[in-house]
Amino acid sequence: MQKFFLALSLAFLLISFGQAQVLKVKVSAQYSHLPTEEQNDLNTFADKVEQYFNGYDWTEDEFEYDVDCTVQIIIESVQSKKAEKVHKSQFVISSVSGENFYDKYWEFPYTESRGLNHSNIQFDPVTGILDYYAYMVLAGEMDTNGELLGTQFYDRALDIANEALLSEYQTGWATRITEHQKIMDTRNKPLRLLKPHFLEAMLLMEEGNIKEAMSEAEHVIHGLREVFKMQPN
C-alpha cells in the first residue's frame, strides 16, 4: 500500500490525467494600458478567441470528455507595420488537469473587423497560435486515454509550427518547435507511457479495486524509475 501512495504522489507531480474531445475554454485579455483607440479595436477579441476554441470539434475520437481550460492574453503593445496593426502579446493556456503553456512571443495583425475562421488554406498568425496550443493541450490529454494516443495531435501542432516558419510571422516559432521537441524526445517517452496507467490506477482506487489498482501503481513506479534513469537530474 505504501508503494501505491508513493507512486500516486510522484505521478501527480509529473503527470496530468483526463480524457479529451471538446475544448471548453474561458478567455480573458488584458490591454487596459493601451491607448483608447487600440482598446476599442480589442473589445471583442477575447470573445472571438473563446468562440474559436469552443465552437469547433477538435477531435474525432471516441473519448467524449470536455477539457476545461483558461486562456490569458496579454497585449503588450501595438505597432504599425506595412499598413497592419501588429500586436505583441503573451499567451497562457492551462487545463484543469495540468497541461500548461506560457508563450511570450506572439505577434499578430488584428483589427476589430477581422473574423477568426478555421481554415487550412494558409497560415494565419492569429489562429495559428490558437490551433497550435489547442493541439498541444489535446495531445497531453489524449496520452491519458492510451499509450501515446496524443502523438497525432503533437504531429498536427508541429505541422502548424513548420508552416509558420515559412510565413511572414516567424517570431517565436523556433522556440515553440524547441519546446515541442523536448516533449517528443525519446527520454520523455517513458513519462508519456505512464499517463494511462496512472489514470487507471486512480479510477480503480475510486472503485475500490485495490488489487488491480496496486498492479497499475507498480507499473507507474517502474516507469518512474526508468524516467529517473534516463533523466537523473
Side-chain angles (χ1 to χ4, degrees):
M1 184 64 72
Q2 184 177 5
K3 284 186 176 182
F4 175 77
F5 286 109
L6 174 61
L8 293 187
S9 297
L10 290 172
F12 183 79
L13 294 174
L14 297 169
I15 309 170
S16 62
F17 59 92
Q19 291 179 306
Q21 187 181 33
V22 178
L23 288 174
K24 291 180 63 177
V25 183
K26 181 64 177 176
V27 179
S28 63
Q30 300 176 26
Y31 49 81
S32 60
H33 60 285
L34 297 177
T36 301
E37 180 183 351
E38 311 300 350
Q39 291 186 45
N40 292 337
D41 272 348
L42 292 163
N43 278 339
T44 61
F45 183 61
D47 291 337
K48 289 179 182 179
V49 173
E50 190 167 296
Q51 177 58 32
Y52 186 85
F53 279 123
N54 297 338
Y56 186 71
D57 292 329
W58 293 93
T59 74
E60 298 178 354
D61 58 76
E62 71 274 23
F63 302 106
E64 298 184 0
Y65 291 81
D66 294 341
V67 183
D68 293 315
C69 301
T70 59
V71 165
Q72 294 177 292
I73 301 171
I74 303 168
I75 312 294
E76 297 178 336
S77 64
V78 180
Q79 298 179 355
S80 296
K81 291 183 180 180
K82 298 180 180 179
E84 291 184 320
K85 289 185 176 182
V86 178
H87 297 66
K88 293 189 175 182
S89 312
Q90 298 181 41
F91 181 91
V92 183
I93 185 168
S94 303
S95 71
V96 294
S97 58
E99 298 297 324
N100 303 303
F101 297 96
Y102 170 45
D103 194 307
K104 299 185 292 184
Y105 307 107
W106 185 22
E107 294 187 4
F108 60 92
Y110 180 78
T111 59
E112 187 179 18
S113 61
R114 179 170 184 166
L116 304 184
N117 303 304
H118 293 273
S119 173
N120 294 320
I121 297 176
Q122 62 182 8
F123 176 77
D124 184 313
V126 181
T127 60
I129 199 83
L130 306 181
D131 292 343
Y132 176 80
Y133 282 115
Y135 287 126
M136 291 295 284
V137 168
L138 287 170
E141 298 283 345
M142 285 301 297
D143 269 356
T144 67
N145 295 328
E147 293 185 351
L148 306 180
L149 284 184
T151 298
Q152 61 175 313
F153 299 103
Y154 283 127
D155 289 346
R156 291 184 192 179
L158 183 59
D159 288 341
I160 294 168
N162 286 330
E163 186 178 358
L165 285 179
L166 301 176
S167 75
E168 294 182 14
Y169 289 87
Q170 301 177 13
T171 301
W173 284 102
T175 300
R176 291 173 197 121
I177 289 177
T178 298
E179 294 303 312
H180 183 284
Q181 290 172 338
K182 291 179 182 178
I183 294 174
M184 298 300 287
D185 191 282
T186 302
R187 292 173 296 178
N188 194 51
K189 185 176 180 180
L191 189 58
R192 290 182 62 201
L193 289 170
L194 291 181
K195 283 189 172 185
H197 298 285
F198 174 65
L199 176 61
E200 184 65 18
M202 293 289 289
L203 294 176
L204 289 169
M205 190 66 176
E206 290 178 3
E207 294 170 358
N209 297 321
I210 305 302
K211 184 177 181 180
E212 292 85 351
M214 290 280 289
S215 176
E216 289 293 333
E218 289 289 346
H219 191 105
V220 173
I221 292 172
H222 175 74
L224 288 172
R225 287 172 178 162
E226 292 301 309
V227 172
F228 292 144
K229 286 180 183 178
M230 299 180 74
Q231 302 184 59
N233 297 323

